[in-house]
Amino acid sequence: AQSVTQLDSQVPVFEEAPVELRCNYSSSVSVYLFWYVQYPNQGLQLLLKYLSGSTLVKGINGFEAEFNKSQTSFHLRKPSVHISDTAEYFCAVITMNSGGYQKVTFGTGTKLQVIP
Amino acid sequence: DTAVSQTPKYLVTQMGNDKSIKCEQNLGHDTMYWYKQDSKKFLKIMFSYNNKELIINETVPNRFSPKSPDKAHLNLHINSLELGDSAVYFCASSQDGLGGNTIYFGEGSWLTVV
C-alpha cells in the first residue's frame, strides 16, 4: 500500500517570501512523484515531477522540489512567492499495480495563501 | 484547443435523478480516468480505462457506471443521485497507464444534488 502525507493544510506566507510545502510518502516499491497545482474553480495542472536521475527537479512558475529517498520526502519550494501563487497544491505518488498499470495516490492538499 | 474537456461544468439536480458527465481528450492518450474531489478537496480515483477497457475500479457504488465508446471518450453516468454525490468530478488522461506519465486533468464538473 502507498500513502501520501501533506502535513500542512494551509500555509500563509507574505509576498516575495520563500515557501516550502511538505510532502512525505510511504511505499514498499519504487515511486514516481508529482506536484500539481489547482487554482480556484479549475482543474489540476502539473507543476513538476520526479521520475529518476537528479533528485532536484525544477518546474513551472519558479517552483522546484527535491526527492529525498532516505526521508521519503518530496518537498516543494519557491524562493519568492507572488500573489498569483495562491492556490491548492497536491503531492502525488505513482507506483505500479499488479496488473502493470500505474496507481496514483494524491495527498490531501496544501492551500498556499500569499499575503500582500 | 482544450486537451481534456468535460461537460457540463456545473450541474444542479434533485435526489433520485440520473445524470451523465461527458469527457473527451484530444491528446491521443490511451488511458482515461475519473476522479472525485470532495468538499475538503480530497481527490480520489474512481475509474481508469486503457484503450476502452476498465483497468481500475475503486470502491465506487454501482450507481456510477463509466462508458468508453472509444479511447478518446470516457463518460460517467450516475443513477439515483444522492446528496453525498455532490462533489467536483474530474476527468483526466495520460499517455498510457504505465508509470511516470503525466496525468492531464479537465476543468472539472461541479455536481450539486439537492
Side-chain angles (χ1 to χ4, degrees), chain B residues 28-70:
Chain B
H29 288 167
D30 290 332
T31 302
M32 295 186 72
Y33 312 80
W34 275 108
Y35 283 84
K36 179 180 179 180
Q37 186 175 45
D38 61 24
S39 58
K40 295 183 179 179
K41 300 287 189 179
F42 184 61
L43 263 171
K44 184 175 172 58
I45 189 165
M46 301 172 69
F47 303 101
S48 173
Y49 271 70
N50 182 268
N51 272 319
K52 303 191 297 176
E53 292 191 16
L54 181 67
I55 57 173
I56 292 176
N57 182 353
E58 294 295 315
T59 50
V60 176
N62 291 335
R63 300 180 295 103
F64 291 79
S65 54
K67 293 281 192 303
S68 182
D70 54 61

Side-chain angles (χ1 to χ4, degrees), chain B residues 4 6 23 31-35 90-94 103-106:
Chain B
V4 182
Q6 49 184 114
C23 179
T31 302
M32 295 186 72
Y33 312 80
W34 275 108
Y35 283 84
F90 287 100
C91 180
S93 73
S94 64
I103 299 174
Y104 295 85
F105 286 84

